[in-house]
Amino acid sequence: MTDDQKLFTEFAAAPSGPAEWEQKARKDLRDTPLESLTWHTYEGIEVKPYYTRQDIQHLPFVQQKPGDFPFLRGRKTSNNNWLNVSQLKVQETGTNAVEKAADALARGANGIHFILLQPDLFDVAYLVEKVDLSTVSASYTLHDQPVAFLKRLYAALGAKQVSHRNLKGFVHFDPITAKGTLTETEGQEIIELLELTKDSPDFYGVTVCGTNFSSIGASVTQEVAYTLSAAVAYVDRLTDAGEPLESVLRNMQFCMASGTNYFFEIAKLRALRLLWAAVVEAYQAEPALAAKLRIHSVTSSWYQTTLDPYVNMLRATTEAMAAVIAGCDSLTVVPFDNTFEQPDEFSERIARNVSIILKEEAYLDKTVDPAGGSYYLESLTNELAQKAWALFKKTEALGGFETAYTKGAILGPITEVSRMKFRNIATGRDVLVGTNKYPNPKESISFDPEELIQSADFDTTRAAYPTEVMRMATELHLRKRQRLPKAIVAVIGDTEKRKLNASFAEAFFRCVGFETEKQQYTSVEDAADRLLHSAAEVVVVASSEAAYAREFGPRLRQHQSKPTVILADDPQHIKEEMITNGYEEFLFDGCDTSTIMKLVQKRLAKDND
């Protein structure tokens, strides 16, 4: 082949610029407006249907290389390696957890993260005996007494003649993001933590946990902005106490969740590094100190589900990929069954192997900043950074993170976004596979639903929680009555609108675990006569004509089992009249199903008493 020969000459040349792309897109879309393809996100960003070179030409960081300030592309220059960190919850002395840690390290993990529920009871001597802490990354989450724990650990290391300066990992003690402020005692603990860890270059003593925002439904921009603001609060607290700025910045780590919004999660860590460099500059510190920031990623709790839990494996894999492509320093994949039971050997192995496969089979450790050069990702990184920086400055203008939190300016905006997310899940606009759409009809629940709901460990902040509670009520009905509750969807007439609303109602009740049956009728009389003798907890009437609806409700009130009667339509201006005639709620495509779930859950709870 000569130099001037071209491959695939039978294909037309690609459009050369935005105008040509737009012209071709409008032609291919025919009657669909191009503008309808624009995605409006929770972050207030409008994602276009396509991006071109022109979208990134004006961006100052496009030509920068990995390792260059402001480190948007990370500080890694030779490879994209990350630590595969297994997370273990520790009860009492933790000897079993230490054994699990040693086994995980032998099976592919190269880091351990202990969640210490009772740090004063944890057997640090046994840990030092079983795990070589001079070579293995070991991290610790502590809700109290971090200094006392660390001193005990250092004493155990000293007894084995191991220097604490060789420790790797981090200490996670972060009252600011957890509850908005530091008490005087907690502030002193943070200062002492920094003093104890500042001589250990690979052991980080100040962790800022952005997962505390994402886990309650924050948007990506909120997670970035509030994490930065909390970090600034720690820097100010520590430097005001006399700690050198350089020492604080060298010991700073961010713990960030990685969610299912794949490209946004990639852009998130890139934007975070970019903005952290701006914060370091604002402190007039050495710019190279911005590269010292360490980012630990963990798969998101917000998107984990209890129903059809094996789907969590798929969620965790894409979440892990996003974090790795974004250049995280370490990664924890949470086991898929974490929401409803103590993870077992199988789920822990699957979680551990996600990182191993991404590294050993997908080779994602070979390329530094693999997202670099993507028109979409570079543009998205810039937009996220601008949005997050504006929110960060707004928070600082209120007096900083702690003051803003006290005024409700942190939790308030997060709650607004989380409500939007819950509403979109309830209407089916946002899909949780296996939970609010595409349920597994053969799923068998192995745990005690009543015990799980009442457990303090059951995460009630997750996106799936409202639907799961409804499903648990259904499961309890099955166990106490030896049958599933039943919903009959009665379709009267034959219009497309009725069929659409009936299908929506049928899918909804299947998602919450009901035995669901759709029945077709030609008249109200026929439907009422037959349904009066049907055993069902819920009857959904799919009929749009007011005359049918008015007549049908009163007849059903004669039903012996007194089913909950729902109209599969939006009666709008005659809603009060429909309620008067016996309809308790209204179910239709695009409605908020949360009120329906509360109504039916109340009915099942009464039946189960």
Side-chain angles (χ1 to χ4, degrees), residues 299-520:
T299 53
S300 171
S301 65
W302 169 259
Y303 294 100
Q304 271 206 322
T305 63
T306 301
L307 304 176
D308 206 358
Y310 293 106
V311 180
N312 289 330
M313 294 184 188
L314 304 178
R315 295 186 181 104
T317 300
T318 58
E319 291 169 349
M321 284 181 64
V324 166
I325 290 172
C328 66
D329 296 291
S330 56
L331 171 67
T332 290
V333 176
V334 177
F336 71 88
D337 54 356
N338 183 66
T339 60
F340 59 90
E341 65 183 9
Q342 185 69 23
D344 58 16
E345 192 277 333
F346 172 73
S347 63
E348 288 174 342
R349 177 167 62 86
I350 292 296
R352 188 169 60 243
N353 284 354
V354 170
S355 259
I356 294 172
I357 291 170
L358 293 180
K359 188 175 294 185
E360 302 298 334
E361 297 188 23
Y363 304 112
L364 292 184
D365 63 326
K366 303 303 181 186
T367 303
V368 180
D369 188 33
S374 163
Y375 300 151
Y376 174 41
L377 281 169
E378 298 286 17
S379 296
L380 183 57
T381 299
N382 180 60
E383 286 204 69
L384 279 178
Q386 289 185 351
K387 294 279 187 182
W389 188 248
L391 182 55
F392 166 76
K393 291 197 296 183
K394 181 179 178 181
T395 306
E396 292 304 296
L398 290 172
F401 184 89
E402 293 180 81
T403 302
Y405 191 98
T406 303
K407 291 179 178 179
I410 304 293
L411 289 184
I414 291 177
T415 300
E416 288 179 18
V417 172
S418 67
R419 283 176 178 167
M420 289 171 58
K421 290 182 177 181
F422 279 123
R423 185 164 57 249
N424 286 338
I425 290 168
T427 60
R429 180 179 174 183
D430 290 351
V431 175
L432 290 172
V433 174
T435 300
N436 74 330
K437 205 165 189 180
Y438 312 117
N440 178 5
K442 298 180 180 179
E443 182 175 10
S444 176
I445 294 178
S446 59
F447 50 83
D448 183 334
E450 193 167 21
E451 182 181 326
L452 180 65
I453 291 174
Q454 294 175 357
S455 169
D457 293 330
F458 191 48
D459 187 352
T460 61
T461 64
R462 293 172 297 110
Y465 174 74
T467 307
E468 289 176 354
V469 171
M470 181 69 243
R471 177 64 184 274
M472 300 304 170
T474 304
E475 181 68 18
L476 282 172
H477 188 283
L478 170 63
R479 296 187 180 191
K480 291 184 178 182
R481 299 206 165 201
Q482 301 305 303
R483 67 172 181 83
L484 288 171
K486 187 173 183 178
I488 293 177
V489 181
V491 184
I492 306 172
D494 192 34
T495 68
E496 285 301 316
K497 184 177 180 182
R498 286 173 218 171
K499 289 179 179 178
L500 178 66
N501 287 337
S503 296
F504 181 81
E506 187 179 18
F508 167 75
F509 279 102
R510 281 181 179 164
C511 280
V512 296
F514 273 55
E515 177 190 347
T516 307
E517 180 183 349
K518 185 156 64 174
Q519 299 177 358
Q520 184 75 44

Side-chain angles (χ1 to χ4, degrees), residues 147-392:
V147 171
F149 169 80
L150 210 53
K151 286 181 177 179
R152 287 201 303 117
L153 178 62
Y154 284 9
L157 289 167
K160 296 286 291 183
Q161 297 184 331
V162 176
S163 173
H164 71 271
R165 292 179 176 82
N166 294 329
L167 286 177
K168 298 171 176 60
F170 59 86
V171 176
H172 172 203
F173 175 70
D174 180 15
I176 283 187
T177 65
K179 56 186 182 63
T181 189
L182 282 174
T183 66
E184 185 175 342
T185 300
E186 290 166 344
Q188 188 58 41
E189 293 267 6
I190 292 290
I191 294 168
E192 291 189 50
L193 273 179
L194 181 62
E195 284 293 320
L196 288 168
T197 59
K198 67 182 182 181
D199 294 330
S200 306
D202 295 319
F203 192 59
Y204 289 73
V206 182
T207 295
V208 186
C209 203
T211 58
N212 284 328
F213 309 122
S214 62
S215 66
I216 57 174
S219 69
V220 171
T221 49
Q222 287 174 332
E223 184 182 358
V224 171
Y226 297 148
T227 300
L228 286 172
S229 186
V232 168
Y234 278 120
V235 173
D236 289 345
R237 284 270 193 156
L238 289 165
T239 53
D240 287 348
E243 295 293 335
L245 177 61
E246 180 178 341
S247 177
V248 177
L249 297 178
R250 283 184 180 277
N251 283 271
M252 186 73 72
Q253 177 194 256
F254 290 166
C255 180
M256 307 298 291
S258 186
T260 56
N261 194 348
Y262 186 66
F263 294 110
F264 272 63
E265 294 298 336
I266 295 172
K268 179 175 74 180
L269 296 194
R270 302 169 93 236
L272 185 66
R273 287 193 294 262
L274 177 68
L275 298 184
W276 179 245
V279 169
V280 171
E281 268 195 316
Y283 277 108
Q284 299 182 339
E286 178 65 34
L289 286 172
K292 298 296 181 181
L293 176 69
R294 187 180 189 280
I295 298 178
H296 174 66
S297 289
V298 57
T299 53
S300 171
S301 65
W302 169 259
Y303 294 100
Q304 271 206 322
T305 63
T306 301
L307 304 176
D308 206 358
Y310 293 106
V311 180
N312 289 330
M313 294 184 188
L314 304 178
R315 295 186 181 104
T317 300
T318 58
E319 291 169 349
M321 284 181 64
V324 166
I325 290 172
C328 66
D329 296 291
S330 56
L331 171 67
T332 290
V333 176
V334 177
F336 71 88
D337 54 356
N338 183 66
T339 60
F340 59 90
E341 65 183 9
Q342 185 69 23
D344 58 16
E345 192 277 333
F346 172 73
S347 63
E348 288 174 342
R349 177 167 62 86
I350 292 296
R352 188 169 60 243
N353 284 354
V354 170
S355 259
I356 294 172
I357 291 170
L358 293 180
K359 188 175 294 185
E360 302 298 334
E361 297 188 23
Y363 304 112
L364 292 184
D365 63 326
K366 303 303 181 186
T367 303
V368 180
D369 188 33
S374 163
Y375 300 151
Y376 174 41
L377 281 169
E378 298 286 17
S379 296
L380 183 57
T381 299
N382 180 60
E383 286 204 69
L384 279 178
Q386 289 185 351
K387 294 279 187 182
W389 188 248
L391 182 55
F392 166 76

Side-chain angles (χ1 to χ4, degrees), residues 110-163:
N110 43 28
I112 299 294
H113 182 190
F114 295 106
I115 310 296
L116 301 175
L117 303 180
Q118 298 167 293
D120 54 321
L121 299 180
F122 185 62
D123 192 341
V124 291
Y126 191 69
L127 171 64
V128 171
E129 182 70 31
K130 289 291 183 179
V131 179
D132 183 359
L133 296 184
S134 64
T135 60
V136 170
S137 174
S139 305
Y140 315 89
T141 287
L142 309 108
H143 299 295
D144 55 25
Q145 304 175 5
V147 171
F149 169 80
L150 210 53
K151 286 181 177 179
R152 287 201 303 117
L153 178 62
Y154 284 9
L157 289 167
K160 296 286 291 183
Q161 297 184 331
V162 176
S163 173

Side-chain angles (χ1 to χ4, degrees), residues 88-101:
L88 298 169
K89 188 176 289 187
V90 181
Q91 301 277 1
E92 298 180 344
T93 61
T95 53
N96 183 54
V98 172
E99 295 286 351
K100 274 190 172 185

